[in-house]
Structure formats: C-alpha cells, structure tokens
C-alpha cells in the first residue's frame, strides 16, 4: 500500500491575528476562510496533476503514471494533502498579548485555535472525499508539542508548570471550541 503526501499549503497564523484586530469571532472566521482557500488550492493542484497523469507514458509524469501492478504508481485517491501552519505562538501573542507559555489563558487559546483548525480540516476532508492533514511546518515550534511539554522545556521564570499545562491541554482537547 503506497501513500503519497502532495505539497503543503501553509497558513500564516500571525497574519490572520493581525487582520482580526483582537476580535475572536473575526479571528476564527479568518482561520476558516484561510483553510477553505488552502483546500481550494489543493483541489486545483489535484485536478492539474490528474490531467498530467492522464497523459500516461507520453506525459511529463510518465514515471508516476506507469502501471506495473494494475494501477498507477501515484494513486491520487490515496494522496494526502497537507495544510501546514506557521506562527501559532506569535498569533497568540498578537491576539492576546501573551505568548503560549506565559499564561494558562494564552495556552488555552492556542489549543482552542488548533482544535478549531483540526475540526475544519476533518469536515473538509469529509466534504470533498480527500485526505487533508493538518501539520506543523518544519522549523516551526510544533503546536502539537504543547501537549507534551516537560519542565525542561518551560522557562523557570514562568507562571505555570508543565503538569498544569498537560492537565489544561487534556481538558481543552476533549471539548470542541465554541
């Protein structure tokens, strides 16, 4: 079974926060719009690659279109379409005035954003019958790592402990954002 991840479309979270001007409703609306735009970009890409693959051995993607075991090497129905994110900490700081590690409220807000994005990606995957995957962009502090912080990664001069963060993360991720 072969799976393929096609190129990533990355969301600029700090820009979204800047455009929302501190309004939660506007922020989540803009996140939703941006994810929908990323999905449209992936739909365009899928259609374009599909046309190139349909040319078979005569096309520029002949290697991916070859049919040695009864189906093409690149099976578009099994492809994953990545929606990346960059700047979660900066987005939280722009929107709330605090970085993720500075308060429970900032941390909780960051998790709420991730939960909203995850739900959007799941809904759009169902709607279009494609596999959209929310991922952290390389070289960016992984937002998912928030759930696994240890006392070694949290600066000692901060207010909240790693145990408190882990408990807070579990309670937030078990309930969808409002």
């Amino acid at each position: 079974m072969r799976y393929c991840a096609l190129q990533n479309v990355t969301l600029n979270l700090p820009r979204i926060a800047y455009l929302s001007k501190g309004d939660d409703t506007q922020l989540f609306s803009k996140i939703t719009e941006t994810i929908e735009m990323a999905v449209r970009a992936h739909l365009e890409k899928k259609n374009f690659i599909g046309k190139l693959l349909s040319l078979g051995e005569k096309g520029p993607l002949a290697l991916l279109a070859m049919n040695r075991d009864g189906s093409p090497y690149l099976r578009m129905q099994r492809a994953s379409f990545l929606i990346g994110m960059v700047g979660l900490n900066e987005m939280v700081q722009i929107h709330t005035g605090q970085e993720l590690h500075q308060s429970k409220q900032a941390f909780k807000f960051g998790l709420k954003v991730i939960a909203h994005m995850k739900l959007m990606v799941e809904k759009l995957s169902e709607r279009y019958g494609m596999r959209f995957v929310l991922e952290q962009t390389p070289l960016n502090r992984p937002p998912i790592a928030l759930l696994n912080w240890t006392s070694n990664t949290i600066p000692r001069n901060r207010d909240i402990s790693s145990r408190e963060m882990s408990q807070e993360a579990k309670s937030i991720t078990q309930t969808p954002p409002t």
Side-chain angles (χ1 to χ4, degrees):
M1 197 179 306
R2 289 172 270 192
Y3 288 94
C4 170
L6 296 178
Q7 288 292 320
N8 181 345
V9 176
T10 301
L11 310 179
N12 182 342
L13 298 178
R15 177 77 176 154
I16 294 170
Y18 173 76
L19 294 173
S20 68
K21 300 177 182 170
D23 181 350
D24 283 4
T25 304
Q26 198 171 8
L27 179 86
F28 285 98
S29 175
K30 287 190 183 303
I31 289 171
T32 299
E33 289 172 24
T34 307
I35 290 174
E36 288 172 346
M37 188 183 319
V39 166
R40 286 193 307 273
H42 278 306
L43 289 169
E44 294 270 332
K45 187 185 326 177
K46 180 183 177 194
N47 290 335
F48 179 72
I49 291 172
K51 287 178 186 176
L52 293 177
L53 288 171
S54 72
L55 297 173
E57 291 180 15
K58 296 178 184 173
L61 300 180
L63 184 63
L64 296 176
M66 72 179 174
N67 204 354
R68 298 285 184 236
D69 64 353
S71 60
Y73 183 77
L74 176 59
R75 298 169 185 169
M76 291 298 284
Q77 70 274 12
R78 291 190 180 167
S80 295
F81 299 86
L82 307 177
I83 299 176
M85 65 185 106
V86 64
L88 177 67
N89 188 50
E90 292 81 0
M91 183 214 70
V92 170
Q93 185 178 19
I94 291 166
H95 195 74
T96 67
Q98 294 180 316
E99 293 184 41
L100 290 166
H101 60 273
Q102 289 180 315
S103 73
K104 283 184 184 180
Q105 293 78 20
F107 179 75
K108 192 173 182 177
F109 187 77
L111 287 173
K112 184 176 177 181
V113 167
I114 296 296
H116 174 75
M117 290 173 31
K118 185 178 183 314
L119 286 173
M120 282 299 308
V121 167
E122 288 172 355
K123 285 179 188 177
L124 292 168
S125 289
E126 240 179 81
R127 181 186 304 164
Y128 291 105
M130 293 170 62
R131 186 171 178 224
F132 298 112
V133 178
L134 187 63
E135 68 147 10
Q136 65 255 349
T137 301
L139 301 177
N140 185 32
R141 178 93 182 153
I144 307 309
L146 292 174
L147 303 177
N148 300 319
W149 275 13
T150 65
S151 57
N152 295 334
T153 60
I154 298 174
R156 298 193 195 295
N157 61 348
R158 301 297 183 215
D159 299 282
I160 46 183
S161 71
S162 60
R163 194 173 117 239
E164 289 175 309
M165 282 189 171
S166 294
Q167 290 170 343
E168 192 70 33
K170 285 177 188 171
S171 70
I172 292 167
T173 55
Q174 290 171 356
T175 56
T178 55

